[in-house]
Amino acid sequence: MLGLSEKMFQQAKKLIPGGVNSPVRAYSLVAENPPFISRGAGAYLYDEDGRSYIDYVNSWGATILGHAHQKVTADIIHRVKQGVSFGAPTLGESQLAEKIIAHMPTLEMVRFVNSGTEACMSAVRLARGYTQKKMVVKFDGHYHGHCDALLAGAGSGVATESLAASEGVTLGSVADTLVLPFNNTAALQEVFERYGRDHLSCVIFEIIAGNCGFIRPQPEFLSLLQDLCQRYQVLLVADEVMTGFRVHVGGAQSLYHLTPDLTVLGKVIGGGMPLACYGGRRDIMKIVSPLGGVYQAGTLSGNPVAVQCGLTTLDLLCDRSQYSYLSHLSSTLTTGLKKQAERLQVPLVCDGEGGMFGYTFTTHPLESKKDVDQANMKYFKIFFSEMLKCGIYLPPSPYESCFLSTAHTDDDIQQTLRASQQALSQVAEFHNTSEE
């Protein structure tokens, strides 16, 4: 007999491509039917069949305070009663901009948009307008939204012809996008020597990669990247849609002492509502319309309800003990997972920072997307399915990072580790059987 979630999924597939409005939600990679969520409360989600889950997706990182936070909810309701959209300036926009700028000193001005995709697309357009150069460097596996110019994959060799990563994206759209392996200093040096002076407008990257596993930047790579951008007058664009206000109140750039020219933020700054921004040096931002010739607009940009949700969220995050707490939770969880895997002789790399963590079934440290590509997908599927049965809600892809909220407790972490012990035991059993 079909459960309610399964029935809803079958109906949704008749009406919506794949039954979902963002591909990873379809659970295709793990060959499962996705739970249809009816509500969330704190660290928990509840599906239409009445099952509860400890949530480590947290709206893909946006709901850092957990679901239906009392103060956030009350402030949203109050704002809604005053109107949901005006298409006109509101005081809240300036208040939120001021709060973001106060915590991230590399941002001197910001412009609000509705999504990370819009923000990345606009930041790249701005970089091209400011430098009057057209080429863009991105890194393999770093996701900057679904705008055409950034949906590119690498060809063979170092920055050879770019290939579109989606049907419908023309080769012309990605012709000026160079895709490099992350943490590869030789490839980076070569591209700058070849294109940096006359053709390269910007490098856009995730400081901590979160869409191809959880991958940290190597210190020598980060240092070289900053130095090359300054030397060749190429703008450095930090995509902190995931990491901004999540790994630290000042973002990943504060942890790594990085000074980007432009920064892209999303997710946490909207508290779970559709909101993102791009910002940076004043001299660069001043060429955005209506002050300059780089055009960008949006009917719902700076939507007052989303802005209020973001304002309240950031107000509550100003207590920096929240980040110490998130770091404690992620450290407890990742350390526990590694110890379990080691005891069971299951290959597992696990790492985290603040309220963000990742795990990959492999034996060696992660430096680029190819390391995740070579991980054991079968182990991931077994682990994911067992965890879901135990009421642990994880991203249904080995390429996605996991997220904690301040609503999670030590008891939640211990319950998760009890489930992971069972799930990793299933992985170990499969491992031992396949070795025989």
Side-chain angles (χ1 to χ4, degrees):
M1 184 176 177
L2 296 179
L4 287 176
S5 282
E6 194 166 352
K7 289 178 181 177
M8 290 176 179
F9 190 40
Q10 297 304 320
Q11 176 66 7
K13 287 192 284 188
K14 299 174 184 177
L15 305 168
I16 302 168
V20 294
N21 286 302
S22 192
V24 73
R25 300 178 194 175
Y27 279 42
S28 303
L29 197 62
V30 291
E32 298 270 357
N33 286 309
F36 269 50
I37 304 303
S38 62
R39 66 185 182 92
Y44 284 76
L45 292 177
Y46 300 85
D47 71 15
E48 293 286 357
D49 293 285
R51 292 184 292 254
S52 65
Y53 307 87
I54 301 176
D55 182 17
Y56 292 103
V57 176
N58 279 284
S59 191
W60 304 97
T63 52
I64 195 169
L65 300 176
H67 300 287
H69 187 283
Q70 186 174 2
K71 173 63 173 167
V72 175
T73 302
D75 285 358
I76 291 172
I77 291 171
H78 178 72
R79 178 67 262 182
V80 166
K81 288 179 178 179
Q82 300 173 62
V84 297
S85 181
F86 310 122
T90 64
L91 176 61
E93 294 168 279
S94 296
Q95 291 173 328
L96 183 56
E98 187 175 34
K99 193 170 292 293
I100 291 169
I101 289 167
H103 290 295
M104 302 188 78
T106 64
L107 282 73
E108 296 176 337
M109 300 183 85
V110 301
R111 169 62 69 84
F112 290 112
V113 293
N114 300 297
S115 70
T117 292
E118 281 185 60
C120 288
M121 175 182 69
S122 302
V124 168
R125 181 185 301 159
L126 176 56
R128 285 171 164 158
Y130 182 81
T131 62
Q132 293 297 296
K133 295 186 284 186
K134 64 182 182 178
M135 298 184 85
V136 175
V137 163
K138 71 178 293 288
F139 297 99
D140 191 23
H142 289 213
Y143 180 69
H144 307 293
H146 58 87
C147 60
D148 285 8
L150 298 175
L151 276 179
S156 61
V158 177
T160 55
E161 84 176 299
S162 293
L163 300 176
S166 169
E167 293 182 13
V169 175
T170 66
L171 291 178
S173 298
V174 297
D176 294 320
T177 304
L178 305 176
V179 185
L180 305 181
F182 193 41
N183 282 319
N184 188 316
T185 55
L188 189 65
Q189 186 84 50
E190 183 176 336
V191 159
F192 268 84
E193 289 174 356
R194 184 174 178 183
Y195 298 109
R197 190 70 64 192
D198 299 319
H199 303 288
L200 190 55
S201 66
C202 69
V203 177
I204 185 168
F205 79 121
E206 295 180 87
I207 302 173
I208 299 174
N211 286 285
C212 52
F214 181 97
I215 305 177
R216 294 181 184 274
Q218 298 296 315
E220 63 276 12
F221 175 83
L222 209 54
S223 176
L224 178 64
L225 176 58
Q226 180 95 67
D227 177 66
L228 288 172
C229 283
Q230 291 172 351
R231 193 189 319 164
Y232 286 89
Q233 297 183 320
V234 172
L235 296 190
L236 184 58
V237 183
D239 181 347
E240 294 224 49
V241 169
M242 274 193 183
T243 54
F245 290 95
R246 171 156 283 283
V247 299
H248 187 274
V249 70
Q253 60 190 258
S254 65
L255 291 176
Y256 287 94
H257 308 292
L258 189 70
T259 309
D261 300 293
L262 292 171
T263 296
V264 179
L265 297 169
K267 296 186 185 293
V268 170
I269 69 162
M273 297 284 283
L275 187 70
C277 76
Y278 62 99
R281 284 175 18 210
R282 188 176 300 273
D283 64 310
I284 301 173
M285 294 301 294
K286 276 193 168 183
I287 70 166
V288 175
S289 181
L291 295 180
V294 175
Y295 190 77
Q296 175 267 310
T299 299
L300 297 177
S301 295
N303 174 272
V305 180
V307 164
Q308 183 58 65
C309 188
L311 262 174
T312 304
T313 297
L314 294 194
D315 277 343
L316 294 166
L317 286 172
C318 282
D319 176 2
R320 296 196 179 201
S321 66
Q322 303 270 35
Y323 291 96
S324 297
Y325 180 65
L326 287 168
S327 293
H328 158 71
L329 293 178
S330 63
S331 177
T332 302
L333 183 53
T334 55
T335 300
L337 285 169
K338 285 186 284 190
K339 286 181 178 178
Q340 289 175 346
E342 188 176 343
R343 282 196 300 269
L344 292 165
Q345 296 184 310
V346 170
L348 183 72
V349 170
C350 198
D351 192 11
E353 186 71 60
M356 179 176 171
F357 70 95
Y359 64 95
T360 305
F361 288 96
T362 186
T363 55
H364 50 272
L366 305 182
E367 292 188 357
S368 66
K369 180 178 175 288
K370 69 178 176 58
D371 297 320
V372 182
D373 290 338
Q374 293 166 3
N376 194 307
M377 190 64 65
K378 182 62 178 178
Y379 291 179
F380 174 83
K381 291 178 181 179
I382 294 170
F383 182 79
F384 175 86
S385 296
E386 290 298 319
M387 292 293 274
L388 191 65
K389 290 175 188 174
C390 292
I392 309 299
Y393 192 79
L394 296 167
S397 166
Y399 294 98
E400 301 286 352
S401 289
C402 308
F403 302 97
L404 287 147
S405 75
T406 58
H408 284 81
T409 66
D410 284 305
D411 285 344
D412 294 327
I413 301 301
Q414 293 307 315
Q415 184 177 332
T416 302
L417 288 173
R418 287 192 290 272
S420 64
Q421 177 68 37
Q422 179 177 327
L424 286 170
S425 295
Q426 292 294 313
V427 173
E429 185 177 326
F430 175 82
H431 172 76
N432 293 334
T433 302
S434 60
E435 291 260 314
E436 291 174 358

